[in-house]
Amino acid sequence: MTVSNSDTQPSTTVEIVPGGPVSGSIRPPGSKSLTNRALLCAMFAQGQSTLRGALQSEDTEVMIAALRKIGVNVSSSNGGTVLVVDGVTRDKLGVSDDVIDLFIANSGTTIRFLTAALSAAGGNYQLHGVPRMHERPIGDLTDAIQPILQGSIDAISPGGCPPVQIRSTGWREGSIRVRGNVSSQYLSGLMMAAPISGQVTRIEVDGELVSKPYVEMTATVMRSFGAKIVSPQSTSIATSYEIDSVGYVGTEYEIEPDASAASYFWGAAAISEGTVTVEGLSRDAMQGDVGFCEVLRQMGCDVDYQTNSVTVVGKPLRGVDVDMNMISDTVQTFAVVALFADGPSRVRGVGHNRFKETDRIGDLATELRKLGAEIMEHEDGMTIIPLASPSQFQGASLATYHDHRMAMSLSLAGLRLSGVKIEDPSCTVKTYPNYFYDLERLTGRSHRWDTSQANA
């Protein structure tokens, strides 16, 4: 059952003020995906690592807090964008009989990556989070680990959900099989854990692998820290990775701006027929979500790729039929952009989005309907029928379900529609604490904040 805030009284809302074309340039904060991957590799590296351009947000803070509780020294400077990590190799982890309790909030990357890594390193741990975290399945990951685990690992909530309890002395050499159609983070977690185990590990993926660019990102980060990965062997039904027993080595690592966050600003250009440049990214960025720009190109926008920037020029939008399996974190952005196209749009290949921070198909459909859209849900996505008369829109208060991406994507509707209010805007702290400030700066228009309920 999805945790929703749609039936609760919002404490604070923010209303986006519509206007003309949005034009300007912006550099989003560092990538959450890259920051948490680099933190995990640095945690178990020989020597010290320096991470530059790191994201400071709830998701990265819970990862850092967990590392510190395990005994890893992490220091920060420059507002948290520079992190220095003193690695703790497996043989120096200081494993004891005491259970280390780790609070993970609602960070999917943190709990999935640490579940795999700590089981490989050895020790006794309990990983738990907010109520929604205890509804997000992780059983496929724990089931994959158990056959090579020297010890036990259990997801103790119904349906194979956290809390996760680990009692381990490490992995034995062998093979792992994991389903690929639920979350690429399971495979990424297993891949990053393998060098920690000190064993040669073969990982085989059953079925379709979702969000493949994130797995490629994982492999690239691992290699930056000295890990050795045999090129994946692929067939029509499985993909396999063989990872050497060579561990990680400390390094200096530069983190790209977050491409998922960039999608909101590119989307702003598309919706408003403006021109927005996102700095620090390129067509060759490690993050697959840069591919969202190609979806906007299909919808009629112009896209200009430079060495260190990507610019989207908004044009009249047309409806498209697109498979977004590879860039599923941008589906909500796409859905809002599609409201202003000249015909229906269909998004496919993202059934796994129902198991994110909230149901990013069903709950998204609910909020888009409040804007006057006709939405048809499908097993693997949705169809969006554009707004018939945007000028007749009477306003709506949109629930965010404590999901940062719901808040950021839905806010874009307010660039064209008067009276769009976003509930619980502070939920963006999960990955982008300053999002609404940056959007305000880019548009040059002040938002309207209502804190009357918070002060009641």
Side-chain angles (χ1 to χ4, degrees):
M1 180 68 68
T2 297
V3 175
S4 166
N5 67 351
S6 59
D7 298 325
T8 62
Q9 187 67 39
S11 60
T12 299
T13 63
V14 59
E15 180 179 343
I16 310 303
V17 177
V22 176
S23 296
S25 63
I26 194 164
R27 184 185 179 98
S31 163
K32 176 200 74 172
S33 299
L34 286 172
T35 299
N36 273 355
R37 282 165 172 79
L39 277 168
L40 190 136
C41 294
M43 168 188 180
F44 287 106
Q46 292 183 351
Q48 189 177 83
S49 297
T50 300
L51 314 182
R52 303 186 188 279
L55 172 66
Q56 185 181 36
S57 72
E58 180 183 274
D59 269 18
T60 56
E61 286 171 358
V62 296
M63 174 68 93
I64 292 169
L67 267 58
R68 287 173 173 158
K69 196 163 186 179
I70 292 163
V72 179
N73 182 45
V74 182
S75 60
S76 66
S77 60
N78 287 12
T81 63
V82 177
L83 302 173
V84 177
V85 184
D86 294 323
V88 178
T89 54
R90 181 173 179 268
D91 60 316
K92 297 181 180 178
L93 191 58
V95 175
S96 70
D97 290 334
D98 295 334
V99 176
I100 299 177
D101 187 82
L102 301 174
F103 178 73
I104 308 300
N106 197 20
S107 176
T109 56
T110 303
I111 198 164
R112 290 163 181 169
F113 295 172
L114 284 180
T115 291
L118 295 177
S119 71
N124 302 320
Y125 309 93
Q126 175 165 282
L127 293 79
H128 63 101
V130 300
R132 173 58 180 166
M133 174 60 76
H134 297 169
E135 298 173 340
R136 299 176 67 179
I138 198 171
D140 281 308
L141 178 59
T142 57
D143 289 347
I145 293 169
Q146 188 64 70
I148 64 166
L149 184 69
Q150 300 180 100
S152 63
I153 183 168
D154 299 290
I156 63 175
S157 289
C161 297
V164 177
Q165 295 178 341
I166 302 169
R167 298 187 68 88
S168 169
T169 58
W171 289 1
R172 63 177 65 90
E173 186 169 320
S175 296
I176 301 174
R177 299 189 71 88
V178 63
R179 287 173 55 201
N181 63 348
V182 178
S183 173
S184 65
Q185 290 176 6
Y186 295 163
L187 175 56
S188 288
L190 293 169
M191 289 171 62
M192 287 188 290
I196 299 167
S197 72
Q199 308 292 338
V200 176
T201 306
R202 182 179 178 84
I203 305 171
E204 297 182 356
V205 183
D206 286 332
E208 177 189 11
L209 175 60
V210 299
S211 304
K212 291 179 183 177
Y214 283 97
V215 177
E216 295 169 1
M217 176 198 301
T218 299
T220 301
V221 174
M222 291 172 63
R223 290 183 176 112
S224 296
F225 285 84
K228 297 188 181 301
I229 307 170
V230 176
S231 298
Q233 305 297 316
S234 300
T235 70
S236 60
I237 59 172
T239 298
S240 65
Y241 296 79
E242 185 171 303
I243 301 172
D244 206 331
S245 58
V246 175
Y248 296 116
V249 178
T251 190
E252 295 215 1
Y253 190 78
E254 191 76 28
I255 294 169
E256 295 175 347
D258 194 299
S260 303
S263 76
Y264 309 119
F265 303 117
W266 289 322
I271 288 171
S272 70
E273 295 191 17
T275 301
V276 174
T277 298
V278 173
E279 301 168 353
L281 293 171
S282 70
R283 185 195 289 269
D284 298 326
M286 289 174 58
Q287 301 164 79
D289 281 353
V290 171
F292 179 68
C293 292
E294 289 305 302
V295 175
L296 295 180
R297 190 196 295 275
Q298 291 180 49
M299 298 183 80
C301 298
D302 291 338
V303 182
D304 178 33
Y305 296 100
Q306 297 295 324
T307 303
N308 199 41
S309 68
V310 181
T311 300
V312 168
V313 180
K315 297 291 179 69
L317 298 167
R318 53 179 174 264
V320 295
D321 188 324
V322 59
D323 187 324
M324 298 185 71
N325 181 277
M326 300 289 191
I327 53 172
S328 58
D329 274 348
T330 65
V331 167
Q332 291 144 294
T333 317
F334 166 77
V336 176
V337 173
L339 295 176
F340 303 99
D342 65 0
S345 291
R346 170 78 155 91
V347 57
R348 304 175 185 271
V350 294
H352 59 285
N353 270 21
R354 292 191 183 275
F355 305 100
K356 299 282 189 174
E357 283 82 343
T358 190
D359 179 348
R360 290 181 176 171
I361 295 176
D363 293 334
L364 176 61
T366 296
E367 302 312 308
L368 294 177
R369 291 179 184 123
K370 292 180 184 178
L371 298 171
E374 180 182 347
I375 306 295
M376 290 173 281
E377 292 185 48
H378 311 292
E379 183 178 351
D380 73 334
M382 63 171 55
T383 297
I384 303 107
I385 309 298
L387 301 179
S389 303
S391 61
Q392 298 178 18
F393 178 70
Q394 298 298 308
S397 185
L398 304 181
T400 55
Y401 305 83
H402 311 295
D403 182 351
H404 56 128
R405 299 209 185 282
M406 290 288 278
M408 293 185 279
S409 59
L410 292 172
S411 72
L412 299 179
L415 299 175
R416 289 277 297 273
L417 304 175
S418 296
V420 173
K421 296 181 179 181
I422 305 300
E423 299 173 8
D424 187 26
S426 64
C427 68
T428 64
V429 72
K430 189 172 192 295
T431 57
Y432 199 160
N434 292 325
Y435 169 74
F436 284 102
Y437 169 79
D438 282 355
L439 180 63
E440 189 174 79
R441 182 167 58 86
L442 186 65
T443 63
R445 302 188 293 271
S446 297
H447 309 319
R448 297 178 182 138
W449 294 84
D450 183 355
T451 60
S452 58
Q453 292 297 325
N455 298 326

